[in-house]
Amino acid sequence: MATIQSVASLNPPASSRAWYSTPHPNLPILATATGTSLRIYSLNSLTLLSTITGGHKRSIRSCAWKPGNNQNATIATGSFDASVGIWSQEDDDNEEWRFAIVLDGHESEVKSVAWSAGGNLLATCSRDKSVWIWEEVGEDDYETVAVLQEHEGDVKCVKWHPEEELLASASYDDDIRLWREEIDDWGCVAVLRGHQSTVWAVEWEPISGKDETVGSRLASCSDDVTIRIWKKSPGQEERQAQSRLSIIKSSNAEEWVEEAQLPKTHVRTIYSVAWSKDTHRIVSVGGDGKIVVYGEDREAPERWRVIAVQECGHQEFEINHVAWAKAKISDGTVQEVIATTGDDGEVKIWTVS
């Protein structure tokens, strides 16, 4: 079995719970949501570059970098104050940030924010059971294009497909819903049912040019301590055989089925999963403090296996979020790492070897 090795903790740590960390898709920086601020860390020096404050009255729960802009970065934040913020970098040294606009509409805590692959759509979700889709129509100008209210509980997470304008949402109602625009109106095209408790997060498989089958699947994690892999059904026979796994609510219905469950390793709620674009490994974290890495062998009877486990990754604290990133480690090389974010306020960097 491989080993998960600690590289460093981003310095300095936050003084309060850290909820979420996300690396920029192209730049060597990472943003962490903690308290009412965002911390921007360098993934080269693993130190703090700047702290963004002043936009929210309550803790920031989630953040997401807008894709496609490498010079003046833009990031969205979702807060427990029910608002969504858009921040823009004012120069190229990561020190000055401008609070560009606030998006109001949700009636309760905003739990997750996500940009579409093209960067023109922003999805947000909330404890108010709704998913909102916003479209950028001009500089610092966004309009609501959809309010989706079919979930029956707190919506925990939204994630866009890496290429298509296909949105996944995960909820306290145990369901995952998939949404597409249909003739100028957004609608639910599939409901993925199988989890027995709250679905905390979803993650699309990254697109890879080497394998045409890669990028078509969705991973989900839950309070039921399972991680499930879902895929679009390839044929009518399989759709009929697996129809009990997906309830359709759309004229443009899509059939998605559960392809696999990863080996059960966690003993408490799994809060976050991340899927590596480089190795296609999956990493998970949760309330038990474990960091678990899984690998896939498509030729093996049990396709997924546990590659590495780290116990007590943040001592006795829960781990709220995990992400794959590229960072410069001690020998000066840039390599893929795991970034974990915990209740102790720390963001820790790990390698798998």
Side-chain angles (χ1 to χ4, degrees):
M1 184 175 286
T3 302
I4 300 174
Q5 297 179 320
S6 176
V7 174
S9 293
L10 298 186
N11 186 46
S15 59
S16 60
R17 172 185 292 164
W19 283 106
Y20 196 98
S21 293
T22 182
H24 191 279
N26 301 309
L27 302 174
I29 55 176
L30 176 142
T32 296
T34 175
T36 57
S37 68
L38 271 185
R39 289 176 161 234
I40 308 299
Y41 289 97
S42 166
L43 289 173
N44 287 330
S45 65
L46 305 183
T47 58
L48 185 67
L49 295 174
S50 61
T51 301
I52 304 172
T53 59
H56 292 289
K57 297 177 181 177
R58 295 183 62 194
S59 292
I60 299 171
R61 179 65 179 82
S62 177
C63 54
W65 294 104
K66 184 179 180 182
N69 191 341
N70 295 339
Q71 293 184 339
N72 294 311
T74 297
I75 192 166
T77 53
S79 169
F80 284 96
D81 66 11
S83 72
V84 176
I86 309 290
W87 306 78
S88 295
Q89 188 181 13
E90 295 216 318
D91 53 38
D92 58 3
D93 62 5
N94 300 300
E95 293 185 0
E96 297 297 328
W97 293 79
R98 176 177 62 90
F99 191 56
I101 191 172
V102 61
L103 304 178
D104 288 317
H106 283 293
E107 296 177 357
S108 189
E109 303 163 358
V110 176
K111 295 298 183 69
S112 178
V113 295
W115 295 96
S116 64
N120 59 313
L121 299 174
L122 176 67
T124 63
C125 66
S126 169
R127 190 177 179 181
D128 65 12
K129 307 179 186 180
S130 72
V131 176
W132 288 50
I133 299 176
W134 313 77
E135 182 176 14
E136 185 177 21
V137 294
E139 185 176 357
D140 299 341
D141 189 9
Y142 292 78
E143 66 177 27
T144 308
V145 295
V147 178
L148 310 171
Q149 297 179 299
E150 294 187 33
H151 276 296
E152 297 178 357
D154 181 351
V155 188
K156 299 292 188 182
C157 179
V158 284
K159 284 291 177 70
W160 290 96
H161 187 279
E163 286 188 341
E164 304 174 32
E165 288 187 353
L166 172 63
L167 180 68
S169 59
S171 173
Y172 183 82
D173 63 14
D174 308 346
D175 290 344
I176 301 158
R177 289 181 178 266
L178 302 182
W179 313 85
R180 286 188 192 270
E181 188 176 21
E182 304 170 351
I183 315 174
D184 297 326
D185 191 19
W186 285 84
C188 182
V189 295
V191 182
L192 283 54
R193 288 197 169 134
H195 283 295
Q196 302 301 306
S197 190
T198 302
V199 186
W200 276 89
V202 287
E203 175 86 348
W204 290 100
E205 181 178 21
I207 295 296
S208 171
K210 298 178 182 179
D211 186 345
E212 292 181 357
T213 65
V214 169
S216 58
R217 296 179 294 175
L218 182 72
S220 59
C221 63
S222 169
D223 188 53
D224 67 10
V225 301
T226 68
I227 298 170
R228 300 171 190 246
I229 307 297
W230 308 84
K231 68 175 183 178
K232 195 172 184 178
S233 183
Q236 184 63 34
E237 290 183 4
E238 185 171 355
R239 283 199 294 272
Q240 291 173 345
Q242 301 287 346
S243 61
R244 63 184 178 84
L245 293 176
S246 184
I247 298 175
I248 303 305
K249 296 272 189 177
S250 168
S251 58
N252 290 344
E254 298 180 12
E255 188 80 21
W256 287 69
V257 298
E258 183 184 300
E259 180 186 65
Q261 288 190 37
L262 274 57
K264 281 192 177 181
T265 307
H266 289 279
V267 294
R268 293 180 63 186
T269 301
I270 306 171
Y271 291 133
S272 178
V273 290
W275 209 323
S276 166
K277 187 174 183 178
D278 287 359
T279 64
H280 294 286
R281 292 173 174 175
I282 287 177
V283 61
S284 61
V285 296
D288 58 9
K290 289 182 180 180
I291 307 167
V292 185
V293 178
Y294 312 82
E296 183 181 24
D297 181 353
R298 296 192 178 190
E299 303 302 321
E302 298 294 332
R303 291 177 60 165
W304 290 91
R305 62 186 178 89
V306 174
I307 291 177
V309 179
Q310 173 67 47
E311 303 278 352
C312 303
H314 287 242
Q315 290 79 45
E316 72 273 21
F317 294 95
E318 294 190 345
I319 305 177
N320 296 315
H321 187 254
V322 65
W324 295 95
K326 294 291 182 67
K328 186 178 290 187
I329 57 175
S330 57
D331 63 2
T333 62
V334 175
Q335 67 180 71
E336 186 176 58
V337 298
I338 295 168
T340 58
T341 305
D343 273 0
D344 55 0
E346 293 203 30
V347 179
K348 295 190 175 186
I349 304 299
W350 312 79
T351 58
V352 181
S353 58

